[in-house]
């Protein structure tokens, strides 16, 4: 089924044809269990793992682990993980008019990516396993501007509040926040942002999922360079923007050692704080994925 679009369309049709009453939508319902069983009978998860793992033993291990987590997200019932740590907004919603097979494939990639090292325990499942020689990372690149919380970024937050400011993280803090969302909930990522001083009070007006998305959703590779053409409010911003945008794409572990110095120079030249500069850069990026 992973390579058969007709078979995927047929499964999507079977899922849509279920009478999704309020009772059927409830977590743990017979209907959810039925759909999860259908998923287990396919190679949807295994097909995504084939893209990531050339080693059969690792592929089999991650296929089993991810399939169980996808089962949990479909049914809303814990099998191996702790439901107290779930992001309940990230579970499957049968009322959404989207492809079920597409959802399974999309959710499988980040589940595998963020948890491979811990699950395999061998230490060999490094992030390089998820990138080809061009640096393409399917778990991030295919996300485009899809919300890390499961929704879609829209322009509404900036329309409702033009003064909204979004200090998007870079480097290790960004990775910590992304892992927090995947392994726990958006609230966990927001707590990290607050603890590290990477939070702007205007974000308090947003729900947690929207705030997480604006702060963390990767910018598509072909769009990110457009930031260099945006008007900048302060002198000397060009270099900071050029160094900043690669840290916000789907590429992982993009370290820019000169970025901090560029931010410091802009802050000193314009008599503003470094937080002001980082917030401006992040807001530019957040607006780009909201367009």
């Amino acid at each position: 089924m992973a390579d058969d679009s007709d078979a995927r369309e047929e499964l999507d049709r079977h899922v849509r044809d279920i009478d999704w009453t309020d009772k059927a939508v409830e977590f743990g319902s017979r209907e959810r269990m039925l759909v999860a069983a259908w998923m287990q009978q396919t190679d949807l998860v295994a097909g995504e793992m084939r893209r990531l793992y050339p080693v059969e033993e690792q592929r089999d291990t991650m296929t089993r682990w991810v399939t169980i987590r996808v089962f949990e997200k479909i049914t809303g019932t814990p099998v191996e993980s702790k439901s107290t740590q779930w992001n309940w907004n990230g579970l499957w919603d049968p009322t959404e008019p989207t492809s079920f097979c597409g959802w399974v494939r999309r959710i499988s990639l980040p589940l595998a990516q963020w948890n491979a090292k811990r699950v395999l325990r061998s230490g060999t499942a490094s992030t390089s396993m998820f990138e080809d020689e061009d640096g393409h990372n399917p778990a991030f690149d295919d996300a485009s501007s899809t919300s890390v919380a499961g929704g879609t970024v829209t322009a509404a937050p900036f329309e409702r509040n033009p003064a909204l400011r979004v200090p998007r993280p870079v480097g290790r803090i960004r990775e910590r926040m992304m892992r927090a969302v995947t392994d726990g909930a958006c609230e966990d990522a927001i707590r990290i942002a607050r603890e590290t001083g990477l939070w702007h009070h205007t974000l308090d007006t947003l729900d947690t999922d929207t705030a997480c998305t604006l702060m963390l959703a990767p910018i598509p590779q072909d769009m990110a360079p457009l930031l260099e053409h945006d008007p900048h409010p302060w002198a000397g911003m060009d270099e900071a923007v050029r160094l900043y945008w690669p840290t916000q794409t789907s590429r992982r572990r993009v370290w820019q050692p000169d970025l901090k110095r560029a931010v410091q120079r802009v802050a000193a030249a314009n008599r503003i704080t470094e937080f002001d500069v980082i917030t401006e850069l992040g807001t530019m990026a957040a607006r780009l994925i909201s367009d």
Side-chain angles (χ1 to χ4, degrees):
M1 181 174 288
D3 300 317
D4 188 339
S5 60
D6 291 337
R8 294 196 301 272
E9 289 176 6
E10 183 178 1
L11 178 54
D12 283 342
R13 179 174 56 79
H14 283 306
V15 174
R16 288 194 303 269
D17 286 346
I18 292 176
D19 184 12
W20 289 107
T21 63
D22 289 345
K23 186 173 181 60
V25 170
E26 290 180 359
F27 296 131
S29 70
R30 181 183 64 83
E31 289 82 359
R32 281 183 176 268
M33 290 293 184
L34 176 62
V35 172
W38 288 343
M39 180 275 299
Q40 288 182 306
Q41 295 168 12
T42 73
D43 66 342
L44 288 172
V45 173
E48 298 308 295
M49 297 306 102
R50 285 196 294 270
R51 297 173 55 188
L52 303 181
Y53 301 99
V55 179
E56 183 178 2
E57 182 179 359
Q58 293 180 338
R59 182 167 62 247
D60 291 346
T61 298
M62 291 307 298
T63 296
R64 176 194 173 278
W65 189 92
V66 172
T67 297
I68 291 174
R69 269 64 191 179
V70 173
F71 180 95
E72 292 176 332
K73 288 180 177 294
I74 294 171
T75 63
T77 57
V79 177
E80 289 186 353
S81 60
K82 297 179 180 178
S83 61
T84 55
Q85 299 178 349
W86 286 0
N87 170 20
W88 290 90
N89 291 324
L91 272 60
W92 180 58
D93 183 354
T95 65
E96 288 289 326
T98 56
S99 163
F100 170 74
C101 293
W103 177 86
V104 171
R105 299 171 85 183
R106 287 193 300 273
I107 201 69
S108 297
L109 287 169
L111 280 172
Q113 181 190 33
W114 288 116
N115 296 283
K117 187 176 294 186
R118 176 169 58 85
V119 174
L120 297 175
R121 298 183 184 278
S122 65
T124 60
S126 68
T127 55
S128 62
M129 290 185 61
F130 305 100
E131 297 181 352
D132 60 24
E133 58 190 15
D134 295 324
H136 172 71
N137 184 324
F140 271 69
D141 290 344
D142 295 346
S144 184
S145 58
T146 301
S147 167
V148 292
T152 301
V153 182
T154 68
F158 289 101
E159 291 177 356
R160 291 195 302 267
N161 184 4
L164 183 64
R165 310 292 288 166
V166 186
R168 289 169 60 100
V170 300
R172 290 183 176 85
I173 295 179
R174 181 171 183 248
E175 291 204 351
R176 282 183 59 199
M177 290 176 64
M178 290 290 281
R179 287 195 182 95
V181 172
T182 304
D183 295 340
C186 281
E187 289 81 0
D188 297 323
I190 288 174
R191 183 176 64 254
I192 293 173
R194 292 183 185 276
E195 291 173 351
T196 57
L198 199 70
W199 183 261
H200 195 275
H201 65 86
T202 58
L203 292 170
D204 291 331
T205 64
L206 305 177
D207 62 86
T208 55
D209 283 359
T210 301
C212 267
T213 296
L214 290 177
M215 294 187 76
L216 296 173
I219 304 174
Q221 298 277 7
D222 58 343
M223 291 177 61
L226 296 176
L227 289 177
E228 295 190 37
H229 303 290
D230 281 0
H232 312 319
W234 300 304
M237 282 282 285
D238 290 347
E239 183 183 8
V241 172
R242 179 179 61 79
L243 293 168
Y244 177 77
W245 71 253
T247 70
Q248 301 300 301
T249 67
S250 53
R251 293 285 299 276
R252 291 194 62 203
R253 300 189 183 280
V254 177
W255 310 125
Q256 297 283 62
D258 294 331
L259 176 59
K260 181 174 179 60
R261 288 188 288 271
V263 168
Q264 291 172 334
R265 284 194 292 269
V266 173
N270 295 274
R271 297 184 178 181
I272 54 179
T273 67
E274 293 179 29
F275 181 73
D276 289 332
V277 181
I278 287 293
T279 300
E280 178 62 26
L281 292 168
T283 302
M284 291 166 56
R287 285 185 178 277
L288 185 59
I289 62 173
S290 297
D291 290 340

